Amino acid sequence: MTSTTPPPPPPPPLSAESQADDAAAGAHLIVVSNRLPVTLEQKGSEWSFKLSSGGLVSALSGLKREMSFTWVGWPGKDFGADDRVKIDNLLKENACSAVYLDDETAELYYNGFANSILWPLFHYHPGEMIFEETAWDAYQRANEAFAQALAAVVKDGDLVWIQDYHLMLLPRMLRALLDSSGRRGVKIGWFLHTPFPSSELYRILPVRRQILEGVLAADLLGFHTYDYARHFLSSCTRILGLQTAGDSVDAGGRVVRVGTFPIGIDPSKFSEALQTDEVRGRLGELERRFAGERVIVGVDRLDYIKGVPQKLLAFEQFLSQRSDDAERVVLVQVAVPSRGDVEEYRQLIGSVNELVGRINGRFGTIEYTPIHFLHRSVGFAELVALYAVADVCLITSTRDGMNLVSYEYVASQAQRHGVLVLSEFAGAAQSLDGAVIVNAWNIEEVAAALALALEMPAAQREASFRTLHKYVAKHTAAYWGTSFIAELTRVRQAADAAALLPPLPASDAAAAFRGATRRLVVLDYDGTLSATRTIPEFARPSPLALRTLQRLADASGTLVYVVSGRTRADMDRWFRGVDVGLAAEHGLFYRHPPTAGLDKEWRSLPAPADPLWRDAVLPLLQHYAERTPGSFVEMKEAGVTWHFRNADPEFGEWQANELRANLERVLAHRPLAIVNANKAVEVRPARVDKPAAVRAIVAELAGTAVDFVLAAGDGRADEPVFAYLAQEFAHVPLFTATVGRKPTAARYYVQDVDAVLSVLGKLTEPPAN
Ligand SMILES: O=P(O)(O)OC[C@H]1O[C@H](O[C@H]2O[C@H](CO)[C@@H](O)[C@H](O)[C@H]2O)[C@H](O)[C@@H](O)[C@@H]1O
Ligand SMILES: O=c1ccn([C@@H]2O[C@H](COP(=O)(O)OP(=O)(O)O)[C@@H](O)[C@H]2O)c(=O)[nH]1
């Protein structure tokens, strides 16, 4: 080991503040985490408060200038009523607020569910997972307690940032409470600090749906790496059947943004500590202690995800390959005790102790102890001195959300330019270019990497260090916090409009209906009058839907049109005997109701004639149907549709993208439209769409002084209908509604198909009094 001179001053941190949106300025941020980052101590009858340091606390330091914030979390244990009052006051003075959980709930929620079910599953250890209903109940209770506590402090326009796997039901529970109390413009973000596993593993979880649905009520979901985000998106597609893009989930019409925000540290804390007398003094002592030896450092919570046994075995292998006269190498392993209440962690301690004993017994001498094993936490000065003295930092996590130790080592190595040997299974491996990346399960490979790291020439170490340091200095905890909050502010701007969308006021609509004499009702079919089904044939109108439509049609002066993408044949069959007008194949064909006083025959929009287009399209669609199990081709009179609702959802989307590209090539310059439908790709004559049909219908009703209009639809094809009606009937009582709350051209929203039928039913009911 060479001696160490004081490190150079730290490079200036790159500002992340510039990222913060202007829109975020002045907003109030509420950070929610399982544990409040505080230590509460009682002296006599008084309580004292100390803020702990940590990644999140550092992250918020970057936001303090932009906004005020409050921290909401569990204070670590339950307190009696008298103490609660004092503690609440103390916390309030320090911008914190406690969520109290009784000790049994806290134990079952934290150790029983979060740490015994979600933690092992998310880290690819399903074998360690023990699912118990009582723990799940406690998890729900604890999340509900958080929701109640938050609902008491959240105000209109606040930003709420929820942390981690402990609180995955909270976004949904909180959203429900905020909606029911009429709070507006609250933005909810959620960040996962652990990995999100492959959907193949995630689907083991008995409550997999509830957990996904819980977080999907947020506006922005953050992950450390794109891999984790990708796995999450895939689970949403496979388990909930939702449509996803690379950066979002369509949660029933509400777009939830999914992004990657790799966390960092506050590197100046380490570079500044290295200038202090305490750390320099300790560093000098360590250098003397390890003179003539090379030092490898390991710092991990003693958790099965950290791969400590793998690290010890790799070190043993490395030692076994060294000649007797080679320079001595020691491993200083800090193993911070963790989660001792959980059985798997207790077992780990036993096996690690055994390995340390065996290796020290095998390679140790009176003068030389190969492994210095510290089963305890160390103070900050000691930790920084240890990082600084080490020639190599070895991280062998078998899975790890990020791993901040790797960043901290880099931040402490300005002088020595030590080598970081980092498991590819830590999130940090995706960012820390310049580290020696290893498969932690491959003992030979890790042993070889240790040899390589210890022999690496100074110039190469320096070059690697520069790359690593540049990243760590820029992607700080503050940068992480600021980027997430800036994005949360941005994503919500579009969603705000949808959040402000009012529900269709059924009684106002009924009053206007009663007051009118000539009424027009335009209704989409799939997703509006009938819930979407896996097989299109099964989506027949229910007896209730048919009864409701007939009652409407019976109201004198009321013209009801069902405007659908279905074929004339389907529409004819399904609505036989019901006195409604129909539009089929997205408006290509339409027909007036018998009560319109017009000829009842099907009419057709003038579609461009190109009789041969099917010859070009059909073989291509059939080719995709054969190659995509579960998909099929539906022939319509004028259009043709390839459905993939029943195919593997990801493979289906992939094939649909490919098919669209091929169709665009084959159909270039033909008067045809390639339409992205819900889990389907449709080809049909161009310039035929629903608003064109509604326009034609209205034109043919000319002379009819319509004095009430109601329209409802759930899809993208219905949006131009709403826009057209708003323009055409600007001076008439107009009730347009999208099904499901989302950005829309409609004036209102209706929750779902049942709610649509209920609103339609109310129109013809006699007034309440
Ligand atoms: O306090 P414990 O329950 O014992 O656990 C400590 C923390 O472990 C997890 O940390 C994760 O977050 C780090 C920062 O994002 C990341 O580097 C690491 O890979 C993760 O394991 C856990 O998510 C926290 O809730 C715990 O407090
Ligand atoms: O005795 C110690 C040794 C380390 N650490 C800190 O524990 C954190 C570990 O974070 P990491 O992301 O590596 O893993 P986690 O434990 O969160 O899974 C780092 O900030 C370390 O500095 C600590 O608190 N006490």
Side-chain angles (χ1 to χ4, degrees):
M1 248 183 40
T2 49
S3 72
T4 306
T5 49
L14 290 174
S15 159
E17 284 77 60
S18 53
Q19 284 208 22
D21 254 3
D22 287 347
H28 184 69
L29 172 65
I30 297 172
V31 174
V32 194
S33 64
N34 162 53
R35 273 297 299 266
L36 275 175
V38 302
T39 311
L40 294 164
E41 267 170 26
Q42 192 173 22
K43 285 196 190 100
S45 64
E46 289 313 304
W47 287 89
S48 71
F49 168 100
K50 206 171 125 230
L51 188 70
S52 334
S53 61
L56 266 178
V57 176
S58 307
L60 293 178
S61 65
L63 290 162
K64 270 187 189 160
R65 268 179 298 258
E66 262 63 73
M67 50 182 59
S68 61
F69 69 86
T70 308
W71 200 310
V72 175
W74 176 55
K77 62 180 184 115
D78 206 3
F79 295 93
D82 289 350
D83 284 335
R84 279 191 190 184
V85 174
K86 288 183 189 158
I87 288 169
D88 285 344
N89 287 334
L90 191 60
L91 290 175
K92 200 167 175 195
E93 285 162 22
N94 290 282
C96 291
S97 173
V99 180
Y100 295 105
L101 302 172
D102 64 77
D103 288 337
E104 192 196 337
T105 301
E107 158 64 23
L108 279 170
Y109 138 75
Y110 180 65
N111 282 327
F113 195 82
N115 288 343
S116 296
I117 295 170
L118 294 181
W119 180 271
L121 186 68
F122 285 11
H123 290 89
Y124 293 75
H125 277 260
E128 321 286 346
M129 184 178 123
I130 310 146
F131 188 87
E132 286 188 13
E133 281 297 329
T134 50
W136 168 234
D137 290 345
Y139 187 77
Q140 295 174 84
R141 273 201 310 282
N143 275 253
E144 187 61 47
F146 271 81
Q148 296 288 351
L150 278 164
V153 295
V154 173
K155 303 207 170 50
D156 286 359
D158 281 354
L159 305 176
V160 180
W161 188 11
I162 300 168
Q163 307 294 324
D164 234 350
Y165 60 98
H166 313 92
L167 300 172
M168 293 182 81
L169 299 177
L170 181 54
R172 188 173 190 192
M173 291 173 166
L174 176 61
R175 181 74 74 201
L177 289 177
L178 296 178
D179 281 353
S180 67
S181 62
R183 251 155 303 173
R184 295 270 172 258
V186 176
K187 303 148 178 68
I188 303 179
W190 174 79
F191 186 85
L192 182 64
H193 289 262
T194 70
F196 193 91
S198 151
S199 61
E200 273 308 296
L201 213 77
Y202 178 75
R203 71 194 181 116
I204 293 172
L205 185 66
V207 290
R208 58 197 186 181
R209 292 185 69 90
Q210 293 93 315
I211 293 282
L212 290 178
E213 285 165 357
V215 289
L216 283 172
D219 303 291
L220 173 64
L221 306 177
F223 298 86
H224 283 309
T225 73
Y226 183 62
D227 270 348
Y228 305 159
R230 195 166 55 78
H231 292 322
F232 175 80
L233 292 167
S234 181
S235 293
C236 290
T237 307
R238 290 174 177 278
I239 294 165
L240 300 180
L242 298 178
Q243 214 141 1
T244 58
D247 64 353
S248 61
V249 182
D250 182 342
R254 213 174 50 82
V255 176
V256 182
R257 180 100 163 91
V258 174
T260 57
F261 303 87
I263 201 172
I265 59 166
D266 177 2
S268 62
K269 251 179 62 186
F270 292 81
S271 48
E272 280 163 18
L274 277 161
Q275 314 269 29
T276 62
D277 291 344
E278 186 186 8
V279 173
R280 283 166 63 179
R282 183 60 184 148
L283 180 55
E285 282 170 23
L286 290 174
E287 283 171 346
R288 285 190 289 282
R289 165 65 188 81
F290 294 120
E293 295 181 338
R294 308 291 299 280
V295 179
I296 300 171
V297 70
V299 177
D300 305 274
R301 265 185 316 104
L302 199 45
D303 191 312
Y304 50 81
I305 67 157
K306 300 289 180 180
V308 176
Q310 283 83 344
K311 184 176 335 198
L312 297 172
L313 289 171
F315 186 58
E316 181 180 35
Q317 175 75 10
F318 165 79
L319 291 179
S320 72
Q321 288 166 347
R322 285 186 75 83
S323 61
D324 290 345
D325 55 353
E327 209 176 5
R328 281 182 196 155
V329 180
V330 295
L331 169 65
V332 180
Q333 176 65 48
V334 177
V336 182
S338 181
R339 304 176 189 174
D341 303 336
V342 180
E343 176 55 28
E344 286 67 32
Y345 289 75
R346 285 200 293 271
Q347 285 173 11
L348 180 68
I349 300 169
S351 56
V352 165
N353 276 333
E354 205 177 300
L355 272 173
V356 171
R358 187 183 87 197
I359 298 166
N360 277 344
R362 181 174 167 199
F363 296 99
T365 63
I366 302 283
E367 296 80 26
Y368 167 55
T369 307
I371 303 175
H372 296 254
F373 188 73
L374 284 73
H375 185 204
R376 59 180 168 81
S377 61
V378 294
F380 186 64
E382 178 76 1
L383 181 71
V384 179
L386 255 180
Y387 282 143
V389 82
D391 300 281
V392 173
C393 177
L394 177 57
I395 291 160
T396 50
S397 308
T398 52
R399 294 282 164 181
D400 211 337
M402 178 54 82
N403 190 284
L404 296 178
V405 164
S406 53
Y407 282 60
E408 293 171 1
Y409 177 67
V410 172
S412 311
Q413 280 290 319
Q415 186 62 34
R416 189 177 297 277
H417 302 159
V419 180
L420 176 64
V421 178
L422 176 60
S423 165
E424 68 185 71
F425 300 107
Q430 307 210 2
S431 316
L432 292 184
D433 194 15
V436 176
I437 302 296
V438 289
N439 173 357
W441 295 93
N442 186 338
I443 304 301
E444 291 281 344
E445 187 185 324
V446 177
L450 284 178
L452 177 103
L454 288 164
E455 283 149 27
M456 193 179 280
Q460 194 182 339
R461 283 192 284 114
E462 184 180 345
S464 299
F465 170 77
R466 295 268 163 244
T467 314
L468 285 165
H469 192 266
K470 196 168 162 203
Y471 184 89
V472 171
K474 179 175 178 195
H475 295 89
T476 59
Y479 183 94
W480 169 75
T482 316
S483 317
F484 187 93
I485 294 302
E487 186 63 21
L488 180 60
T489 310
R490 253 195 304 275
V491 290
R492 273 298 300 198
Q493 272 150 9
D496 278 348
L500 292 172
L501 189 70
L504 192 141
S507 41
D508 291 359
F513 186 90
R514 284 192 296 273
T517 53
R518 203 67 178 149
R519 311 168 188 107
L520 177 65
V521 178
V522 178
L523 302 165
D524 163 53
Y525 180 66
D526 287 282
T528 302
L529 291 174
S530 164
T532 313
R533 297 285 147 85
T534 45
I535 312 266
E537 300 298 298
F538 291 176
R540 299 205 172 104
S542 64
L544 172 67
L546 294 176
R547 264 198 323 272
T548 308
L549 292 176
Q550 185 59 54
R551 234 190 338 260
L552 265 182
D554 285 344
S556 94
T558 308
L559 299 176
V560 182
Y561 290 84
V562 180
V563 180
S564 167
R566 295 306 182 105
T567 61
R568 280 200 274 194
D570 279 347
M571 303 288 283
D572 256 337
R573 204 170 58 248
W574 290 346
F575 293 97
R576 186 163 303 143
V578 183
D579 297 328
V580 292
L582 300 173
E585 298 207 20
H586 297 277
L588 178 59
F589 304 107
Y590 62 93
R591 171 175 105 176
H592 293 287
T595 46
L598 294 162
D599 147 24
K600 283 195 313 181
E601 292 315 303
W602 281 103
R603 297 148 195 246
S604 167
L605 283 181
D610 179 9
L612 296 179
W613 71 268
R614 276 172 193 269
D615 297 348
V617 168
L618 255 185
L620 195 57
L621 262 53
Q622 264 149 5
H623 173 74
Y624 278 85
E626 277 156 28
R627 282 187 6 186
T628 317
S631 76
F632 62 93
V633 175
E634 183 190 12
M635 295 292 293
K636 299 184 177 178
E637 269 182 89
V640 50
T641 306
W642 175 70
H643 291 271
F644 61 95
R645 178 169 297 285
N646 305 329
D648 176 286
E650 282 172 306
F651 186 55
E653 287 293 350
W654 178 14
Q655 295 286 81
N657 284 336
E658 201 181 290
L659 170 62
R660 273 191 290 266
N662 279 324
L663 284 170
E664 272 158 25
R665 196 170 38 78
V666 172
L667 302 179
H669 313 304
R670 290 194 192 228
L672 293 167
I674 302 161
V675 183
N676 294 328
N678 186 5
K679 299 271 180 195
V681 177
E682 183 157 322
V683 185
R684 60 173 190 249
R687 292 190 290 281
V688 167
D689 54 19
K690 286 187 179 183
V694 176
R695 190 176 285 113
I697 288 169
V698 169
E700 286 166 24
L701 294 174
T704 311
V706 170
D707 53 4
F708 171 92
V709 178
L710 183 141
D714 71 317
R716 265 178 273 177
D718 303 307
E719 292 295 317
V721 175
F722 302 142
Y724 159 71
L725 291 173
Q727 198 185 26
E728 181 72 34
F729 296 102
H731 307 295
V732 168
L734 173 70
F735 296 86
T736 47
T738 184
V739 184
R741 199 175 208 171
K742 56 184 176 283
T744 179
R747 293 184 175 176
Y748 306 104
Y749 80 95
V750 182
Q751 198 60 43
D752 51 23
V753 170
D754 292 342
V756 172
L757 295 179
S758 149
V759 168
L760 295 179
K762 285 203 174 93
L763 296 181
T764 50
E765 273 172 15
N769 43 17

